[in-house]
Amino acid sequence: MSASLYLSCLWPGLPEIWWRGRLASLPLAIGFALAVNLFLIVGWIYPDWLSGGLFWMGTLVGFGVWGYYVARGLRELPELISPRTVSEEPDRFGDAHLAYLKGEWQSCENYLTTVLAIEPRDPPALIMLCAVYRHQGRYEDADLLLGEISRLEVADAWWVELDAERRRLRRQIAAKSESEEHPKTDQNEKQNASNPADLTDSAANLDVQPDSRSAAA
């Protein structure tokens, strides 16, 4: 992991907001900004507001708190950026991919649920789960999940895959609607295609015609 990524840890609360979108860390980030501004104002702009001893005591306490959050951020950053690589749980994404290729939709969904329990914002796993929903006929779930993925900033690099999955979902929904509008026609076509008597009669007619022509000749 690039060393430049650790610079975000210098601002307490920023790594959680930046990499995970955790708004619960927003008060900490705002509090740090206010503390820095207060330090600059009281220390250099209006130094008469506090006595020198009280100011430096507060400064030492502030640096201690800042150091604690920086150390915690440095320790937790790998898990924030790529939790699947540092998790003690086995990565089931490969198993989910294999189950998807086999058409085992329920097994694939179970594996993906395990993956997303570790990394809820993983675009490949989320997009594959949309495809599983589509194959299962759960079109509303797939559409809702696609909307949620589109709102994730980490999914911006996956816009091609998202657009392709959205088109597949729309085609499948349209095909289902069309089949529901013409159920009798589709049923008759299936019966004709699967009726062995019709196929035998057609083959018989093809065999008879050459004999008839030769007899007439």
Side-chain angles (χ1 to χ4, degrees), residues 84 93 112 115-116 119-133 141-142 145-146 148-150 152 154-155 162 165:
R84 281 169 50 192
F93 186 78
L112 290 174
V115 173
L116 293 172
E119 168 56 301
R121 293 154 47 93
D122 185 54
L126 290 170
I127 294 173
M128 186 180 294
L129 185 59
C130 286
V132 170
Y133 288 160
D141 293 338
L145 187 55
L146 280 173
E148 294 178 3
I149 300 172
S150 301
L152 296 176
V154 294
L162 281 171
E165 180 58 33

Side-chain angles (χ1 to χ4, degrees), residues 1 57 73 77 79 102 140 182 201 203:
M1 189 166 56
M57 183 181 298
L77 187 64
E79 184 178 354
K102 292 180 178 179
E140 292 184 2
H182 308 285
D201 292 341

Side-chain angles (χ1 to χ4, degrees), residues 92-93 95-96 99 104-117 129 132-133 136 138:
R92 296 294 188 182
F93 186 78
D95 297 329
E104 299 173 354
W105 311 125
Q106 188 58 52
S107 297
C108 183
E109 181 181 354
N110 294 337
Y111 287 131
L112 290 174
T113 302
T114 303
V115 173
L116 293 172
L129 185 59
V132 170
Y133 288 160
Q136 292 176 329
R138 299 161 60 182

